[in-house]
Amino acid sequence: MSTFLHRVAHWAFRRRRTVVLVWVAVLAAVFLGAANSSEAPEDSASLPGIESQQAFDLLDERFPGTEADGAQARVVFVAPDGQQVTSTANRSAVDTLVDEVADGPQVAGATSPFDAHAVSEDASTAYATITYRTTADDLTEASKEALTEAVERARGAGLTVEVGGSALETEPAQGIGEVLGILVAAAVLLITFGSLAAAGLPLLTAVLGVGISLATITALGSALGFSSTVGELAMMLGLAVGIDYSLFVVSRYREERAKGYQAQEAAALAVGTAGSAVVFAGLTVVIALLGLSVVGVPTLTKMGIGSAGTVLVGVLIALTAVPALLGFWPDAVLPRRDREGPRHTRSRRPGRFGRNRTWTWNWNWNWNWQGTTPAGTARTPWGVRWARFVTRRPVAVLLLTVVGLGALAVPSLNLRMGMPGAESKPTTTTERRAYDALADGFGPGFNGPLTVVVDVKDADDPAAAVTGVSDRLADIEGIVSVSPPHFNEAKDTAVVSAVPSTGPAGEQTQDLVRTIRDERPAIESATGAEFQVTGTTALNIDVGRKMQDALVPYLAVVVGLAFLLLMVVFRSILVPVKAALGFLLSVGAALGAIVTVFQEGHGAGVFGVEETGPIMSTMPIFLVGIVFGLAMDYQVFLVSRIREAHIHGEQPGQAVVTGFRHSAQVVGAAALIMMAVFGGFMTGGESMVKMVGFGLASAVFFDAFVVRMAFVPAVLALLGKRAWWLPGRLDRLLPRVDVEGEALTRRAPAPDHASGDDDRRESVTV
């Protein structure tokens, strides 16, 4: 592997103009395809294998011609304090709105609350239902303006009027996530490298990769069913891994140049060593993303495929475009000491205590206060000091790490899953205010009714069978009311709506759905009718259960494949086991943090979370998939340098220190960049996006700064040489990939001059 990539980098460096032109041509081609492509489809709601979906399919079959996904608006009227909506003036305002909207474009029907018995018991609240002949995405501005103007006129009459439903759904406030992430990444890179060119190169290549990936997803959106959600995840991951992969190659290039190698050979060695780690790190991310297909949710599968393609583009750019760009500016990415030659020192008069103050800037993310230390000397890098600390006290560090992360993971045992609805929107939106008004006027369960589809095709008396089902449902504790049945034209299917006494996100509502289904055999036996429970509330419950059931198989597939891959990379059994255990600790702590903030509400105000509730159903699997791939990135980059030092003859403890010397601060910078990219998405207004950004950022923090920086060196120090044990027969069977570049070490030409110390620093004395 390392030899092949060494040749690829040599070719890219020599043919740099060709390589850059090819990437620019690819970018232009996919952008042209995206410009001429059809509009991306909406996220598919199809979830095979769950009861709610089966009931929806039955509705489509038995009620043909109905627009199940047609836009709908629920206009909620609240009378002023001390008044009723049924008063003459208020009723006139409500009827006027309904009549005006009914004549509007694209409107299929408008039902007055006084005709549909949609008035609360105290007559303080009422609602009118407006249905449209098209989906919310296809509503014209004229249709939206007609409804908005009618609502404003009703408000002018003194009523409080809010609109729920999909017709006027408020777009979430757009944050500055991408911009913020790039700005923080630029700052981290500049501090790490001390060079604008070195900081700008990873940003440039990451933006190139994201541009190509997003344009490709858009171009293939119609053919493969890629929605806008696929592009959002691809952009998030593309920025993170694209910057990181280029960061590791550029960092290794600077290291090889410091040893005295010429630019072309240094670029080839960087790609042959760090590039090999990039390849296998990228493969672990791809495995985790493609493993989302195991869950059986089409939307997750498409998100995994699109994001995996983005990661592969990032890997290819790091292996080809980065050495090509280094060929154009071979010295620009180097520290100033190597570009300008002798370091320069400027002294001032002694300080107030009669001694010189010396500040040393090592261009490697480390300000050092030296006091009276002679100019030109510098303290040991923080990564080395930390590694020595851990290897001297491995038991204490290991216990503290495991206990700390375990304590953070405890809240995840209370994880409740669901899909946030209007209740999770900010109170500044009309949907949230409509939701609250309906809950106040009609009860919390009114916003999440259960739709019961009754199949009476084989019943002797269909009407009596449906009545029997409705009566049995009404007798179940937790159901407030059951609506009259609505039959299809064939009279073989009916739909009734059961209103729970608790809100759609409540744990009691989940128990109620389970109770109804448990009692179904007895009800069907007594009535001769079959029924299924569906609706948005039941669908969310079913999705949560499906995600929970799929989590263990998904973990088994992803961890199993990654274990085999890491065993090939590190020629060890215990190192992959350690990697998997460390990942479980970090993802458990991240899930615990999510539950603490978004479900239990501790610190929710700090992150702008206005309403707590169940965790998004797809979040655990989504978190596991993404974070597993990213965690293995750090595992490969960090441990490969440790193993490289070990196979070159160093003792296990010293190999850990050497590995940290060369990779700790780069891994730390990469983690900060990823945290900035993910954390930036918390600036948006959508609760689900905030949850994803918070979960990924916290998981990266736990994995990079706790697991990889403390757990990993502590375990390696305790295992010693046993960490690299591999049975002889297995050693002969596994292919050798040489991620550490051992073959390159033997074949590479000697550097032009010896640098002496790989960690040379430039000192500026003030």
Side-chain angles (χ1 to χ4, degrees):
M1 172 66 75
S2 60
T3 304
F4 170 74
L5 294 179
H6 183 269
R7 291 197 298 266
V8 169
H10 262 299
W11 174 83
F13 193 98
R14 290 196 309 269
R15 306 294 183 185
R16 46 189 173 273
R17 291 181 177 81
T18 301
V19 172
V20 171
L21 287 175
V22 167
W23 280 113
V24 172
V26 170
L27 180 64
V30 293
F31 261 96
L32 182 63
N36 297 320
S37 65
S38 303
E39 187 176 354
E42 298 180 37
D43 289 324
S44 174
S46 177
L47 296 168
I50 61 175
E51 179 176 326
S52 298
Q53 184 63 51
Q54 295 168 356
F56 276 129
D57 295 340
L58 182 62
L59 283 174
D60 290 338
E61 177 187 343
R62 301 290 177 86
F63 290 83
T66 58
E67 190 68 48
D69 58 348
Q72 185 184 74
R74 180 177 280 180
V75 185
V76 184
F77 306 91
V78 181
D81 291 340
Q83 297 185 24
Q84 296 179 332
V85 290
T86 54
S87 67
T88 303
N90 290 333
R91 180 165 185 154
S92 175
V94 172
D95 288 337
T96 299
L97 181 146
V98 173
D99 292 340
E100 290 177 353
V101 174
D103 296 331
Q106 298 180 298
V107 175
T111 305
S112 170
F114 309 111
D115 297 333
H117 305 289
V119 181
S120 63
E121 290 184 5
D122 60 359
S124 65
T125 309
Y127 67 90
T129 302
I130 316 298
T131 56
Y132 292 85
R133 293 189 296 269
T134 185
T135 63
D137 288 339
D138 294 331
L139 278 182
T140 63
E141 289 300 320
S143 297
K144 296 179 180 180
E145 289 177 4
L147 177 58
T148 302
E149 292 172 359
V151 167
E152 290 300 327
R153 283 191 287 272
R155 287 172 177 166
L159 290 170
T160 298
V161 186
E162 305 296 346
V163 184
S166 59
L168 295 182
E169 186 172 7
T170 305
E171 292 293 329
Q174 295 299 315
I176 56 172
E178 300 89 339
V179 177
L180 179 62
I182 291 177
L183 290 177
V184 174
V188 172
L189 289 170
L190 185 59
I191 294 173
T192 303
F193 287 136
S195 164
L196 286 174
L201 183 56
L203 291 174
L204 175 64
T205 54
V207 171
L208 173 64
V210 168
I212 291 174
S213 301
L214 288 182
T216 303
I217 289 172
T218 302
L220 299 177
S222 179
L224 300 182
F226 288 155
S227 66
S228 59
T229 307
V230 177
E232 291 172 3
L233 176 60
M235 178 174 60
M236 185 187 300
L237 278 178
L239 283 175
V241 302
I243 294 174
D244 281 2
Y245 292 165
S246 297
L247 166 65
F248 284 107
V249 173
V250 173
S251 177
R252 189 62 183 253
Y253 170 80
R254 285 158 54 101
E255 185 180 325
E256 299 301 332
R257 286 295 302 273
K259 294 177 181 177
Y261 286 104
Q262 292 298 315
Q264 182 171 338
E265 182 60 25
L269 288 172
V271 173
T273 52
S276 297
V278 165
V279 169
F280 283 97
L283 284 177
T284 58
V285 181
V286 169
I287 288 173
L289 292 170
L290 294 181
L292 290 171
S293 59
V294 175
V295 180
V297 177
T299 300
L300 281 180
T301 300
K302 293 171 185 176
M303 290 171 67
I305 293 173
S307 300
T310 302
V311 173
L312 288 177
V313 171
V315 171
L316 291 176
I317 286 178
L319 300 180
T320 57
V322 170
L325 292 173
L326 289 174
F328 285 106
W329 301 283
D331 296 331
V333 300
L334 300 179
R336 183 180 300 178
R337 65 169 183 267
D338 294 335
R339 298 197 307 268
E340 298 180 356
R343 51 190 167 193
H344 35 273
T345 300
R346 183 166 57 90
S347 300
R348 325 183 348 187
R349 56 189 176 88
R352 60 181 295 187
F353 298 109
R355 57 183 180 181
N356 288 334
R357 294 173 184 163
T358 304
W359 287 95
T360 300
W361 173 248
N362 64 10
W363 298 108
N364 271 320
W365 196 19
N366 195 12
W367 276 101
N368 292 322
W369 170 247
Q370 303 293 353
T372 58
T373 304
T377 63
R379 296 169 61 184
T380 306
W382 67 266
V384 173
R385 298 197 303 272
W386 173 252
R388 289 172 179 167
F389 173 83
V390 174
T391 53
R392 289 172 186 155
R393 305 167 183 84
V395 175
V397 172
L398 182 60
L399 288 177
L400 184 62
T401 301
V402 173
V403 172
L405 292 178
L408 291 172
V410 168
S412 65
L413 299 176
N414 300 321
L415 174 69
R416 290 191 297 110
M417 291 191 289
M419 290 300 291
E423 75 280 1
S424 65
K425 291 180 177 292
T427 53
T428 54
T429 63
T430 187
E431 299 102 307
R432 170 63 185 276
R433 294 195 296 267
Y435 178 96
D436 292 341
L438 287 172
D440 292 339
F442 296 90
F446 188 81
N447 285 295
L450 304 176
T451 301
V452 181
V453 183
V454 186
D455 184 357
V456 290
K457 190 173 185 179
D458 299 327
D460 296 332
D461 188 347
V466 173
T467 301
V469 171
S470 298
D471 293 342
R472 293 296 188 97
L473 291 175
D475 292 337
I476 296 177
E477 183 179 358
I479 291 184
V480 175
S481 63
V482 178
S483 69
H486 172 61
F487 280 90
N488 63 345
E489 292 185 4
K491 303 298 182 182
D492 60 0
T493 308
V495 177
V496 298
S497 180
V499 178
S501 60
T502 53
E507 191 172 358
Q508 299 91 332
T509 306
Q510 297 184 25
D511 296 336
L512 175 62
V513 172
R514 190 179 302 111
T515 298
I516 294 174
R517 289 170 174 170
D518 290 342
E519 296 188 12
R520 175 166 44 200
I523 298 176
E524 290 180 344
S525 176
T527 61
E530 298 179 353
F531 70 88
Q532 294 174 316
V533 183
T534 186
T536 302
T537 300
L539 178 65
N540 291 340
I541 294 172
D542 290 345
V543 171
R545 186 173 295 116
K546 184 179 179 67
M547 296 297 105
Q548 191 170 358
D549 294 341
L551 185 58
V552 173
Y554 175 65
L555 272 174
V557 170
V558 171
V559 175
L561 291 175
F563 178 87
L564 294 176
L565 185 63
L566 292 177
M567 190 165 57
V568 171
V569 171
F570 295 120
R571 318 296 298 178
S572 167
I573 291 179
L574 296 179
V575 169
V577 170
K578 169 196 58 64
L581 293 177
F583 158 73
L584 293 176
L585 285 173
S586 59
V587 80
L591 275 176
I594 292 172
V595 171
T596 299
V597 174
F598 289 87
Q599 181 176 305
E600 299 177 353
H602 302 298
V606 177
F607 301 101
V609 180
E610 297 188 10
E611 186 72 20
T612 59
I615 304 305
M616 184 174 61
S617 298
T618 54
M619 186 66 199
I621 280 187
F622 182 77
L623 184 72
V624 167
I626 303 301
V627 174
F628 183 83
L630 300 181
M632 293 305 104
D633 274 3
Y634 304 130
Q635 171 74 13
V636 171
F637 289 128
L638 182 62
V639 180
S640 63
R641 293 307 298 264
I642 296 174
R643 185 173 187 273
E644 179 180 348
H646 178 66
I647 64 176
H648 288 163
E650 294 188 9
Q651 293 299 311
Q654 183 57 39
V656 171
V657 175
T658 301
F660 268 67
R661 176 189 299 274
H662 293 296
S663 59
Q665 64 185 24
V666 181
V667 169
L672 287 176
I673 290 169
M674 281 200 179
M675 290 172 60
V677 172
F678 295 147
F681 283 83
M682 295 181 63
T683 61
E686 188 68 35
S687 176
M688 288 189 292
V689 176
K690 288 184 179 181
M691 187 183 300
V692 171
F694 175 84
L696 291 177
S698 59
V700 168
F701 172 79
F702 293 136
D703 194 88
F705 293 107
V706 181
V707 171
R708 306 304 152 191
M709 295 296 178
F711 177 84
V712 167
V715 172
L716 291 178
L718 288 173
L719 291 176
K721 293 183 178 180
R722 294 186 298 274
W724 313 108
W725 171 78
L726 186 68
R729 180 175 298 179
L730 189 59
D731 184 45
R732 291 188 294 271
L733 290 175
L734 293 178
R736 295 187 177 274
V737 294
D738 189 21
V739 174
E740 299 81 11
E742 186 178 4
L744 297 180
T745 304
R746 297 192 300 265
R747 296 176 49 185
D752 291 346
H753 64 275
S755 62
D757 182 8
D758 293 348
D759 299 309
R760 294 174 303 169
R761 295 169 176 80
E762 177 182 13
S763 299
V764 181
T765 305
V766 181

